[in-house]
Amino acid sequence: MANEVYDLVVIGGGPAGYAAAIRAGQLGKKVACIEVERAGGTCLNWGCIPSKALLKAAETYEAIQHAGDFGVEVKDVKVDFAKVMARSRTVSDKMAGGIEFLFKKNKVEYLLGTGHISVPGIVEITSGPDKGKFLSAKKTLIATGCRSRRIPGLEVDGERVMTSREALVMKKQPKSIAIIGAGAIGVEFAYFLNTLGTETHLIEMLDRVVPVEDPDISQALNRSFKKQGIKINAGTKVENIEVGKKSVKMELVKGEKRTPLEVDTVLLSIGVVANTEGLLSDKVKPQFDDKGYLVVNDRYETSLKNVYAAGDIIGPPWLAHVATYEAVQAVNGMFGHSEPKRVTLFPGCTYCHPQIASVGITEEKAKADGLDFNIGKFPFSASGKAVAVNKPEGFVKLVLDAKHGEILGAHIIGNDATELITEYVLAMKSEITADEIHATIHAHPTMSEALAEAAASAHNEAIHI
Amino acid sequence: MANEVYDLVVIGGGPAGYAAAIRAGQLGKKVACIEVERAGGTCLNWGCIPSKALLKAAETYEAIQHAGDFGVEVKDVKVDFAKVMARSRTVSDKMAGGIEFLFKKNKVEYLLGTGHISVPGIVEITSGPDKGKFLSAKKTLIATGCRSRRIPGLEVDGERVMTSREALVMKKQPKSIAIIGAGAIGVEFAYFLNTLGTETHLIEMLDRVVPVEDPDISQALNRSFKKQGIKINAGTKVENIEVGKKSVKMELVKGEKRTPLEVDTVLLSIGVVANTEGLLSDKVKPQFDDKGYLVVNDRYETSLKNVYAAGDIIGPPWLAHVATYEAVQAVNGMFGHSEPKRVTLFPGCTYCHPQIASVGITEEKAKADGLDFNIGKFPFSASGKAVAVNKPEGFVKLVLDAKHGEILGAHIIGNDATELITEYVLAMKSEITADEIHATIHAHPTMSEALAEAAASAHNEAIHI
């Protein structure tokens, strides 16, 4: 039987779940958060955070290789791959510990195991250290997230075949790798491994790398990755994967052409699927969409009263920052703090080098929708800061409403892109026009000047091009 | 006699002058730009740009020293100081060449020499390759800028005694240096030289480093600089400077206490003075203020009709981005393109490490003005991105109007601060409140999340602290 009555029981301790639990704690609610593994969830333990630590190691190695350009002479540099991986785990541990600290601070009861909704209002813990506990929940938030999609019949053994999760704890650096899927995760691992010297094959079924981005961005990344030595196969399927003891063989199929490929290891980065195993008893049947995601209303409530959901489990865009936002909105709404808002606008970031960041629609989409639009564009090669720090690669591209100059989409590739995008997100959110961005003084010399120059360029008023 | 009639003659080719000339060219005007040295002026040739190249070299060296933390092992690293300096000159040359290209593209006539206003409407070139030319100008823009202030009686020889200009072409790295003045230029050189191994004494007359910044920022920089090994003397005057053949001796005076100091070299970074030498004939007497800056009205026109001025020559804040803005506004106004605006809001950036960026008022000023305000604050140690990239130092601090949450001031110290500030500048310019920033989704994991968390923290709604 349920011993305690909680205002909120959160199932899942990732960016949606932990944020929801902390927010409920801030609101003075009695709240428990059930996590199957470790606070922080995939993002913090198996995604965003440890991957950024790895990428920083690769960036550091790359910076050293180019240090001579700056007059810093380095003779003997080598990568201790085990140490690279170990630091990344240390960072995750530290951040997970931080979440656990925040749970305590905000009086969130942190429980370990699989959360299972027996009936709406009762959550049982069915595995793990807290197995056997029943929690009575006035409200429940499902935030179980997603996990990497696999290829049916292809066993993920963590050595020859990995998803990003196994790749984050690789025991040794592969000599060669086939990365299947050139979305954000695929290109980040491609940059990381290629930079450290792995022969890297990046394979994408669609016709270009980072296919959700503006085609100009894909083209620029393609060019840069080729220069870096990454072997790119777009418009290519992988068939007949054969996992051997020492290698993996496969066929790359592009139209009629079949090319054999043999590599040490395969990384699958082909999207995600919802985590629902063990979540619901037979009696609990919230509505799912046809892709397996929970359907929620504008208050993030599922078809079951007082059962809410937020984050990856309610479907794309599968981004940590979107998950956190949804979760906080859901909690604010369920306890009457403020009217919850659904997500309409969010940035997407990819942390390979050059970095990619975008918000809103692509030029392609603006065309397809028959919109009347202008393009603003500014290359970093014309930025004093970019040249001074030896990062002249990339550009800023704006898709602007032709009539009012409203920003419809913004696309950045280059150094610091993932930090720069924030100004455009705020602008779009607040309906600030390109002219108003141009009229705002941007510090010199910064990469951010390119944001104002791109805005100005739509009226041919950019000074530096 | 004047042979040609120009719509606009610009005197000075720095960030105000070259931008004005290019903008006038964009508007189809016949325009000449007279520069005494090289296109780009101080900023591009002797300031912002070459100093950023030097700082990047120091950052690279510093990154290498900490590369082991990431698992990148470096054994033999040394700095080729001459090459460090040479690259910085190459960057300046390249960017100056870029401005010269933009002059051609925009049909700006580029003339080399000292511009001298003989009478309003006639500009003579009194030195340099174009000496002897007379230009008839419908409108004239004075954009001669400023140069480093010196200490009367102390000769700047470029070896024992330097200003930033000489420091940018140092022939060899000094073993020790006394940097007099801990404003932006002083602390940037302190970071640069100290990182590369120079024994660095940073001396400031006022009671703290970067005294224009919020006191919390000064305190954080002070702590960081001390940790880096920089010897800081605030509240300290320098007296009895004696320049010898191999060293410079001086006394540091703090209250009653006098401490002798002997160093290789002295760098003066004690502010600037206006460049007016040779600018005006006896017949041309525009109004100057009591500090030697030209007085302009809201259209950037001096007390003389059709003689305008913009940039450092019209006084503080002596920032390149402010100069460019003023110049473009002046040109837009003089040719009826749009009503010119005066500068009300601008960011200030300092590129030492940790970086500093700010906009608006300090907490100190808010108190002094008796404002009803709240403070929002978020430390980078609680940012996943900052921890992942090993840059957890610093914080974001907001001074917020208590009633509406309007941003009165924003102060950032830490990695990427100079890029991050741009979002707050746009917010202040567009009267976006802290709540609206908090309601805007910031990408995870980025340093920019701290901007939203600082905004949220004012209402105790930050998730990660």
Side-chain angles (χ1 to χ4, degrees):
Chain A
M1 283 305 300
N3 301 317
E4 300 222 49
V5 181
Y6 294 84
D7 294 314
L8 175 64
V9 171
V10 180
I11 305 177
Y18 81 68
I22 290 170
R23 183 66 191 132
Q26 285 176 345
L27 293 174
K29 301 299 163 186
K30 184 169 172 62
V31 55
C33 182
I34 305 168
E35 163 59 40
V36 74
E37 193 175 38
R38 178 128 202 221
T42 297
C43 163
L44 215 150
N45 295 287
W46 302 106
C48 322
I49 295 297
S51 65
K52 297 315 150 281
L54 297 184
L55 288 161
K56 182 68 185 178
E59 282 172 50
T60 302
Y61 184 65
E62 194 192 354
I64 291 170
Q65 289 175 310
H66 295 102
D69 298 347
F70 292 99
V72 181
E73 313 289 355
V74 179
K75 272 193 190 137
D76 192 2
V77 53
K78 66 168 198 258
V79 174
D80 181 339
F81 193 76
K83 205 171 161 188
V84 169
M85 302 306 288
R87 177 177 182 274
S88 143
R89 299 322 303 163
T90 306
V91 168
S92 281
D93 281 350
K94 186 173 174 174
M95 297 314 295
I99 301 299
E100 288 158 4
F101 166 80
L102 290 169
F103 279 169
K104 275 187 197 141
K105 186 186 157 193
N106 290 285
K107 300 195 172 62
V108 174
E109 193 171 340
Y110 174 42
L111 299 166
L112 277 168
T114 302
H116 171 84
I117 305 181
S118 313
V119 293
I122 300 290
V123 179
E124 181 186 354
I125 301 180
T126 58
S127 78
D130 288 306
K131 184 178 172 176
K133 284 194 180 161
F134 284 83
L135 286 70
S136 183
K138 291 185 191 166
K139 296 182 190 296
T140 307
L141 178 77
I142 301 172
T144 49
C146 286
R147 64 181 182 282
S148 299
R149 182 182 295 280
R150 298 178 176 205
I151 293 178
L154 183 65
E155 193 201 344
V156 171
D157 64 3
E159 193 175 355
R160 297 277 156 250
V161 182
M162 307 184 290
T163 70
S164 56
R165 178 170 177 131
E166 294 75 29
L168 285 166
V169 285
M170 272 183 274
K171 288 211 177 63
K172 59 176 201 164
Q173 185 181 350
K175 285 209 177 95
S176 60
I177 193 164
I179 297 175
I180 304 179
I185 292 174
V187 300
E188 288 184 5
F189 272 105
Y191 168 77
F192 167 64
L193 288 168
N194 180 70
T195 300
L196 298 190
T198 296
E199 180 191 306
T200 303
H201 298 263
L202 181 61
I203 303 152
E204 169 59 48
M205 202 173 65
L206 298 176
D207 67 341
R208 54 195 173 89
V209 296
V210 288
V212 303
E213 300 292 344
D214 189 278
D216 282 358
I217 299 286
S218 295
Q219 192 185 38
L221 184 67
N222 198 79
R223 195 181 311 126
S224 180
F225 265 19
K226 273 195 173 165
K227 225 166 94 183
Q228 293 178 37
I230 296 170
K231 290 158 201 8
I232 299 171
N233 292 280
T236 301
K237 283 186 197 168
V238 179
E239 289 185 2
N240 301 322
I241 302 175
E242 278 177 44
V243 180
K245 283 211 170 158
K246 296 199 162 174
S247 72
V248 187
K249 290 178 185 175
M250 67 199 78
E251 279 186 323
L252 305 186
V253 184
K254 187 169 186 170
E256 297 295 300
K257 200 176 157 197
R258 291 181 168 266
T259 315
L261 177 65
E262 182 172 2
V263 289
D264 263 17
T265 305
V266 169
L267 171 65
L268 302 177
S269 46
I270 52 172
V272 295
V273 292
N275 285 328
T276 53
E277 289 68 22
L279 176 64
L280 304 168
S281 79
D282 293 347
K283 295 165 217 158
V284 180
K285 291 182 177 168
Q287 190 189 342
F288 285 88
D289 70 16
D290 57 2
K291 299 214 167 118
Y293 298 107
L294 277 167
V295 175
V296 295
N297 65 16
D298 280 350
R299 304 186 72 82
Y300 298 93
E301 200 168 16
T302 68
S303 60
L304 303 178
K305 197 164 160 59
N306 290 325
V307 178
Y308 294 77
D312 289 359
I313 192 70
I314 65 168
W318 309 296
L319 293 169
H321 41 287
V322 170
T324 299
Y325 181 88
E326 291 171 344
V328 170
Q329 292 297 319
V331 171
N332 282 341
M334 67 178 81
F335 295 118
H337 172 80
S338 54
E339 274 304 290
K341 295 193 191 78
R342 286 301 299 263
V343 173
T344 51
L345 188 79
F346 56 87
C349 289
T350 306
Y351 299 80
C352 56
H353 279 255
Q355 290 189 343
I356 296 167
S358 60
V359 57
I361 65 170
T362 63
E363 182 178 359
E364 216 175 18
K365 168 94 171 123
K367 269 184 200 156
D369 289 356
L371 301 179
D372 188 14
F373 66 94
N374 292 324
I375 296 294
K377 208 165 177 182
F378 190 81
F380 286 119
S381 59
S383 151
K385 180 68 190 293
V387 171
V389 301
N390 214 14
K391 298 281 186 193
E393 199 176 27
F395 56 82
V396 177
K397 177 178 174 176
L398 285 173
V399 184
L400 301 171
D401 165 61
K403 195 166 175 194
H404 301 294
E406 198 187 332
I407 303 173
L408 305 173
H411 309 275
I412 310 177
I413 182 165
N415 193 39
D416 268 335
T418 58
E419 301 294 348
L420 294 173
I421 196 69
T422 184
E423 180 180 350
Y424 284 149
V425 182
L426 183 71
M428 287 180 72
K429 171 94 169 122
S430 306
E431 297 182 354
I432 291 169
T433 64
D435 285 350
E436 289 168 301
I437 287 181
H438 177 206
T440 301
I441 298 182
H442 288 66
H444 178 78
T446 59
M447 301 292 286
S448 73
E449 291 172 280
L451 304 174
E453 289 278 58
S457 77
H459 299 312
N460 297 314
E461 292 193 22
I463 291 295
H464 296 90
I465 44 170
Chain B
M1 284 304 301
N3 301 316
E4 301 223 48
V5 181
Y6 293 85
D7 294 315
L8 174 64
V9 171
V10 180
I11 305 177
Y18 82 69
I22 290 171
R23 183 65 191 134
Q26 286 175 345
L27 293 174
K29 301 299 164 186
K30 183 168 173 62
V31 54
C33 183
I34 305 167
E35 163 58 42
V36 73
E37 191 174 41
R38 179 128 200 222
T42 296
C43 164
L44 215 150
N45 295 288
W46 302 106
C48 322
I49 296 297
S51 65
K52 297 315 151 281
L54 296 184
L55 288 162
K56 182 70 186 177
E59 282 172 51
T60 302
Y61 184 67
E62 195 191 353
I64 291 170
Q65 289 175 310
H66 295 101
D69 297 348
F70 292 99
V72 182
E73 313 288 357
V74 180
K75 271 192 190 140
D76 193 2
V77 52
K78 65 166 197 260
V79 174
D80 181 340
F81 193 75
K83 206 172 159 188
V84 169
M85 301 306 288
R87 177 177 182 273
S88 143
R89 299 322 303 164
T90 306
V91 168
S92 281
D93 280 351
K94 187 173 173 174
M95 297 313 295
I99 299 300
E100 287 159 3
F101 166 80
L102 290 168
F103 278 169
K104 275 186 198 142
K105 186 186 158 195
N106 289 286
K107 301 196 171 61
V108 174
E109 192 171 339
Y110 175 43
L111 299 167
L112 277 168
T114 302
H116 171 84
I117 305 180
S118 312
V119 293
I122 300 289
V123 179
E124 180 186 356
I125 302 180
T126 58
S127 77
D130 288 305
K131 183 178 172 176
K133 285 193 180 160
F134 283 84
L135 285 70
S136 183
K138 289 185 190 167
K139 293 179 192 297
T140 306
L141 178 76
I142 301 171
T144 49
C146 287
R147 65 182 183 282
S148 299
R149 182 183 295 281
R150 300 180 174 202
I151 293 178
L154 183 65
E155 193 201 345
V156 171
D157 64 4
E159 192 174 357
R160 296 279 154 247
V161 182
M162 307 184 289
T163 69
S164 56
R165 179 171 176 132
E166 294 75 30
L168 286 165
V169 285
M170 272 184 274
K171 289 209 179 64
K172 58 174 205 167
Q173 185 181 350
K175 287 211 176 93
S176 60
I177 193 165
I179 297 175
I180 304 178
I185 293 175
V187 300
E188 289 183 5
F189 272 104
Y191 168 76
F192 168 64
L193 287 168
N194 181 71
T195 300
L196 297 190
T198 294
E199 179 192 309
T200 302
H201 299 264
L202 181 59
I203 304 151
E204 171 58 48
M205 202 172 65
L206 297 176
D207 67 342
R208 54 196 173 90
V209 295
V210 288
V212 302
E213 301 292 345
D214 188 279
D216 283 358
I217 298 285
S218 295
Q219 192 184 38
L221 183 67
N222 197 79
R223 196 181 310 126
S224 180
F225 265 19
K226 272 195 174 165
K227 224 167 96 184
Q228 293 176 38
I230 295 170
K231 290 156 201 10
I232 299 170
N233 293 279
T236 302
K237 282 187 198 168
V238 178
E239 289 185 2
N240 301 322
I241 302 175
E242 279 176 46
V243 180
K245 283 210 169 160
K246 298 199 164 175
S247 72
V248 186
K249 292 178 183 172
M250 66 199 76
E251 278 187 326
L252 305 186
V253 184
K254 188 170 186 170
E256 296 296 298
K257 199 177 157 197
R258 291 178 169 267
T259 316
L261 176 66
E262 183 172 1
V263 289
D264 263 18
T265 305
V266 169
L267 171 64
L268 302 176
S269 46
I270 52 172
V272 294
V273 291
N275 285 327
T276 53
E277 289 67 23
L279 175 64
L280 305 168
S281 78
D282 292 347
K283 294 166 218 157
V284 180
K285 291 181 177 169
Q287 190 190 343
F288 285 88
D289 71 15
D290 56 2
K291 297 211 168 121
Y293 297 106
L294 277 167
V295 175
V296 295
N297 65 17
D298 280 350
R299 305 186 71 82
Y300 299 93
E301 200 169 16
T302 67
S303 60
L304 303 178
K305 199 165 162 54
N306 290 323
V307 177
Y308 295 78
D312 289 359
I313 192 71
I314 64 169
W318 310 295
L319 293 169
H321 41 287
V322 169
T324 298
Y325 181 87
E326 291 171 344
V328 170
Q329 292 296 320
V331 170
N332 282 340
M334 68 179 80
F335 296 118
H337 172 80
S338 54
E339 276 303 291
K341 295 192 191 78
R342 287 300 300 264
V343 173
T344 51
L345 189 78
F346 56 87
C349 289
T350 305
Y351 298 82
C352 57
H353 278 255
Q355 290 189 342
I356 296 167
S358 60
V359 58
I361 65 170
T362 62
E363 182 178 358
E364 214 177 19
K365 167 94 172 124
K367 269 184 200 156
D369 289 356
L371 301 180
D372 187 13
F373 66 95
N374 291 324
I375 295 294
K377 207 165 175 182
F378 190 81
F380 286 119
S381 59
S383 152
K385 181 68 189 294
V387 172
V389 302
N390 213 13
K391 297 281 186 192
E393 198 177 30
F395 57 82
V396 176
K397 175 177 175 177
L398 285 172
V399 183
L400 301 171
D401 165 63
K403 195 167 177 193
H404 301 292
E406 197 187 333
I407 303 172
L408 305 174
H411 308 276
I412 311 176
I413 182 165
N415 193 39
D416 269 334
T418 58
E419 301 295 348
L420 294 173
I421 196 71
T422 183
E423 181 180 347
Y424 284 148
V425 181
L426 184 71
M428 286 180 73
K429 171 96 168 118
S430 305
E431 296 181 355
I432 291 170
T433 64
D435 285 350
E436 290 168 300
I437 287 182
H438 178 208
T440 301
I441 299 183
H442 288 65
H444 178 77
T446 58
M447 301 291 287
S448 73
E449 291 172 279
L451 303 175
E453 290 277 60
S457 77
H459 298 311
N460 298 314
E461 293 193 20
I463 292 295
H464 296 90
I465 44 170

